[in-house]
Amino acid sequence: MPPPQGPLPSPRQLAWHEREFYAFVHFGPNTFTGEEWGRGDEDPAVFNPGALDCRQWVQAFRSAGMTGVVLTAKHHDGFCNWPSRHSRHTVAHTAWRGGRGDVVRELADACREAGLALGVYLSPWDRNHPDYGRNDAAYNDFFARQLEELLRGYGPLFEVWWDGANGDRGDPAKFQEYDWNRFIGLVRQHQPEAVIFSDTGPDIRWIGNESGVAGATCWATMHSRRMDPGSGDPTPAQLNAGEEGGDAWLPGEVDVSIRPGWFWRAPEDARVKSVPELVKIYEESVGRGCSLILNVPPDARGLIHETDVQRLAGLGTVLRATYGPGTNLAAGRPARASSAWGGDPAFGAGAVTDGDPRSSWAAADGQTAAWIEIDLEPGTVFDRVVLAEPIALGQRVRRFTVEARDNGQWSAIASGTTIGRKRIVVLDTVITADALRVSVLDARATPLLSELGLHRLAAR
Ligand code: FUL
């Protein structure tokens, strides 16, 4: 068995990697005022989503192939989508459902019924709370109590999202020293399976932009830093590419909105991203070893707008027809490699085409350059190559090339750097081939591959 190459993902990180693609939901007073960053002095009465239906949201998310939802339980305006006992700025102080509504509860119920996981975004920056930045200890107590309500009241959570944004950063009168260790401890105590997102983790990191693109080189590792989301350390470029040789497994989560803004606004109904744009985002996030959290904000009725519903369904259709069961043109094909770990057939080339993500090809001990070849049905046509490293044993590959053979002639069709959990290589042109070779040119340790897939982008 090849020894692991540290650092390694924790069990909760491994489970999160498998989620791959899930929804982000920004919803609150901004949905009704057209603001991005509400000031916190909005009248809660503006919040009145007359037709709110979380089952409708969840059906739309499922149609895209999403596995979960993260809701803004509280955004920067401090308004709580659940009836928090510690604030008056909540759904309980609105006319919606006669003041007895709870968006978190309705979404939790809809998710459970549909088999989707639930996560919560709780903005540390709170523009409504009087103690924020004025009485650090009092605000931290308040934040901890709100967090506990969410952690204890709604069943299992898969993710807790802490935004680094703070429009008051730099204003000493509003500087809040957060008690991160306390907050992290509460999540671990009440929801040990949940991953925590922030610029600096501790479990998953921001990818450094909001446009849906992970680095073409993307390491799941980073050097550990002090927890200070929004400080600019690490820089966006460091977050985007990760840091080879970092001491922490801290993979990227790619956050992007299906619309120009994070919250719904009527004029943006005509600016919902197209299916090809969404496919590109998927391939440049999930296909670069990260997870994708795609924001789909409900409108002022409390429904996902028809256009967004249609785009999500279209995206799901393309993803299933391109990458779904039965689409891998290399599945079950004969394979050979330059070497196998210990000469053991269990680590032979066939492991990458056997459809079992738990089996891997491993090159012989100490060989950081190695190749693997697959015989294809003559005339196989594809434009996507999918590679995967078994990340439970760490991330290794630094550089690889892909060649294809047609009529006895080999030609280079792609090259790349990192692979990680999943690498989707989007080819420049459609290739016809009867054999394929992937050469690992450099790696941090003996290279391992658990999957090699060939796919063709489905037409819409
Ligand atoms: C940012 C926030 O300021 C935006 O409003 C949004 O919530 C986005 C996901 O994170 O930092």
Side-chain angles (χ1 to χ4, degrees), residues 24 26 30 36-37 72 75-76 121 125 161 163-166 206 210 255-256 262-263 295:
F24 213 173
H26 278 67
N30 296 340
E36 264 304 313
W37 281 4
T72 55
H75 201 249
H76 310 323
Y121 168 119
W125 181 36
W161 221 94
D163 201 321
N166 185 340
W206 186 42
E210 294 179 339
D255 66 323
V256 58
W262 290 100
F263 287 86
N295 182 62

Side-chain angles (χ1 to χ4, degrees), residues 168-198:
D168 294 327
R169 191 172 263 278
D171 179 349
K174 293 183 187 158
F175 177 76
Q176 170 70 34
E177 186 85 60
Y178 299 110
D179 192 349
W180 292 117
N181 285 341
R182 176 175 175 192
F183 307 152
I184 293 168
L186 287 173
V187 179
R188 299 295 191 235
Q189 181 190 341
H190 297 297
Q191 297 280 350
E193 317 280 306
V195 288
I196 299 174
F197 167 98
S198 87

Side-chain angles (χ1 to χ4, degrees), residues 16-17 19-24 69-70 119 121 158-162 195-199 203-210 212-214 218-220 239-240 250-256 262 284-286 288-294:
W16 166 84
H17 274 289
R19 294 221 165 273
E20 274 201 353
F21 178 30
Y22 39 87
F24 213 173
V69 192
V70 177
Y121 168 119
F158 83 98
E159 178 164 340
V160 174
W161 221 94
W162 287 332
V195 288
I196 299 174
F197 167 98
S198 87
D199 285 13
D203 299 310
I204 56 176
R205 72 174 197 262
W206 186 42
I207 206 64
N209 64 62
E210 294 179 339
V213 196
C218 194
W219 292 95
L239 290 165
N240 198 239
L250 194 57
E253 183 193 70
V254 176
D255 66 323
V256 58
W262 290 100
E284 292 180 347
S285 55
V286 173
R288 292 180 176 180
C290 299
S291 285
L292 170 60
I293 181 166
L294 177 65

